[in-house]
Amino acid sequence: MRKTPLAAGAIAAALTMTACGSPGDAAGVDGEGPIKVGIVYSSTGPLATYGEQYREGFEAGLDHATNDTREIEGRQIEVTYLDDAGEPDKAVSAARELIGEGHGIIAGSTASGIAVQVAPLAEQNDVLFISGAAATDAVTGINDNTFRSGRQTYQDILAAASFMDDPDGSDVVVFAQQNAFGQDNVGAATEVLEAEGANVDSVLAPPDTTDLTPFAEQVNQADPDLVFVAWAGETASAMWQSLDQQGILDSTEVVTGLDIKPSYPIFGAAGDRISFLSHYFDGASDTEIAQILKETIEADGGEVDLFTPDGFTAAQMVVQAATAGDETADRVDALSGWTFDGVKGEIHIRSEDHALIQPMYQVELVGEGDDAHPELVAEIPAADVEPAIAE
């Protein structure tokens, strides 16, 4: 068997929203005044660390894409950041506020459950929406106005499948949280791996549960060939400890996605018993853009991490779209089918559903404690992790 990644995704039903004002009545639509961009992301809440990485990447990307001018044809790009605190209601309210103030481009969405609720609002009000770190497959193809600047769960699962010698006949358990993120991973793993002949089951724990021993026991009792862990948040340490206490890390192939840098010490001595897939890590790519990102972030006292490229890519997309003019239809056309040089190499926005086609990585975590760090095993070509076209 081989190794699998963690993902970050979620499926949630989109709310029906009322149109709240047209950016056509605000500054900048006649080719004059600022180009107004609104970022709705998690600057507080459970995913605040992810949100900060996105913001830093976006700032660096905006400087790069505009040659440090933050202007397009003499017009200033005016960026407004609003916090959703990881709560869908707050995100929707913030997006409505920004749209009402004439922001024709909305980006951000750290959480999947938020992205699927902001996307319909963008369509209803005819603005452009570029989702951020949210990995839910539901964003891809949800409507013509919506794009994404990060990977999606389907790509995580396909990357995970690249580790398996032969899925046919294998028993796989997805260990995740009972939320949109976890359910999205179960759905994607079931679709991808069962098509290859695997049997997929799941063990889901409430997100606020701190005693994870009973759930780890369920995983152990299932006696799977492969455990795919999809986890996010502060309970990760307790989750890994519970799996280790049950002997699962020693008896079963365990695969997950590599999380942010502060999580590396969490794995401790168990790191060499876990197989990792990665969306990105500092040093994963040696492209010219990756070097620019790293130098820019570190010059400001920061460091590149898992979701920094998502922000950088979002800024590249914002500039590409805004260069096409103020009409949303023209901005959509400018992004659909666009291929460009990104942090990870060549990136392509698929015209049919706006999936972001990009490479992924196989990684090993070496060292322990503060010395733990990832090393690249292999880059998985974008074509090998291209998701099915959303219908």
Side-chain angles (χ1 to χ4, degrees):
M1 302 261 335
R2 73 133 195 269
K3 331 184 174 184
T4 291
L6 142 142
I11 297 178
L15 291 177
T16 300
M17 296 164 226
T18 303
C20 58
S22 170
D25 299 328
V29 298
D30 57 358
E32 299 178 358
I35 298 168
K36 304 180 76 170
V37 180
I39 308 295
V40 182
Y41 76 119
S42 296
S43 65
T44 63
L47 300 181
T49 301
Y50 296 170
E52 178 60 15
Q53 292 172 17
Y54 172 92
R55 187 196 65 78
E56 290 179 345
F58 186 86
E59 292 287 314
L62 199 56
D63 286 339
H64 169 72
T66 62
N67 295 316
D68 294 319
T69 66
R70 302 228 173 171
E71 293 182 353
I72 297 177
E73 297 180 358
R75 297 172 62 191
Q76 179 186 6
I77 300 175
E78 180 183 289
V79 182
T80 301
Y81 292 90
L82 292 182
D83 179 27
D84 59 34
E87 300 178 17
D89 289 348
K90 287 186 178 180
V92 169
S93 295
R96 284 176 169 158
E97 177 184 337
L98 291 166
I99 294 170
E101 293 173 350
H103 293 74
I105 301 176
I106 305 296
S109 287
T110 314
S112 293
I114 287 173
V116 295
Q117 297 197 22
V118 174
L121 187 62
E123 181 181 40
Q124 292 164 13
N125 291 275
D126 195 28
V127 299
L128 184 70
F129 173 50
I130 304 172
S131 182
T136 177
D137 294 316
V139 167
T140 297
I142 192 170
N143 58 54
D144 290 342
N145 293 52
T146 297
F147 293 79
R148 68 189 320 141
S149 65
R151 97 300 189 204
Q152 63 186 82
T153 300
Y154 207 110
Q155 289 166 311
D156 282 340
I157 302 299
L158 286 171
S162 72
F163 286 90
M164 301 182 74
D165 294 329
D166 184 7
D168 190 24
S170 298
D171 293 322
V172 178
V173 168
V174 180
F175 187 30
Q177 293 151 305
Q178 181 67 56
N179 55 18
F181 168 75
Q183 291 166 345
D184 205 34
N185 276 274
V186 173
T190 301
E191 180 178 350
V192 173
L193 298 180
E194 287 195 347
E196 299 293 327
N199 305 304
V200 180
D201 201 351
S202 64
V203 174
L204 301 177
D208 57 354
T209 296
T210 56
D211 181 10
L212 293 162
T213 299
F215 302 97
E217 289 176 346
Q218 291 180 44
V219 174
N220 195 28
Q221 290 168 7
D223 192 26
D225 299 301
L226 175 73
V227 177
F228 171 54
V229 179
W231 210 272
E234 298 176 353
T235 58
S237 180
M239 179 273 297
W240 287 113
Q241 185 178 45
S242 68
L243 288 181
D244 199 11
Q245 289 173 343
Q246 290 297 312
I248 296 170
L249 301 184
D250 292 316
S251 63
T252 307
E253 182 78 49
V254 178
V255 296
T256 192
L258 188 66
D259 202 356
I260 58 177
K261 287 182 177 180
S263 74
Y264 298 167
I266 290 175
F267 296 99
D272 61 358
R273 291 176 286 158
I274 302 170
S275 301
F276 295 95
L277 159 145
S278 179
H279 162 49
Y280 196 78
F281 64 91
D282 189 2
S285 172
D286 62 357
T287 66
E288 180 180 356
I289 302 298
Q291 292 302 314
I292 290 171
L293 171 62
K294 184 175 178 65
E295 291 170 3
T296 303
I297 294 296
E298 292 183 351
D300 290 334
E303 56 183 0
V304 174
D305 209 336
L306 180 63
F307 294 116
T308 319
D310 292 10
F312 194 98
T313 301
Q316 291 179 291
M317 294 172 67
V318 164
V319 172
Q320 169 71 4
T323 300
D326 293 309
E327 294 296 326
T328 298
D330 293 335
R331 291 172 170 178
V332 169
D333 287 343
L335 290 178
S336 299
W338 185 40
T339 299
F340 60 101
D341 291 329
V343 176
K344 300 170 70 172
E346 184 176 279
I347 307 295
H348 176 69
I349 301 172
R350 192 164 60 192
S351 297
E352 292 88 343
D353 58 3
H354 302 167
L356 195 68
I357 310 304
Q358 60 193 292
M360 299 286 281
Y361 307 97
Q362 294 179 358
V363 179
E364 63 178 352
L365 193 63
V366 299
E368 296 182 20
D370 293 339
D371 294 327
H373 62 280
E375 291 186 356
L376 180 65
V377 173
E379 178 179 298
I380 307 172
D384 291 351
V385 288
E386 181 172 348
I389 296 175
E391 298 180 358

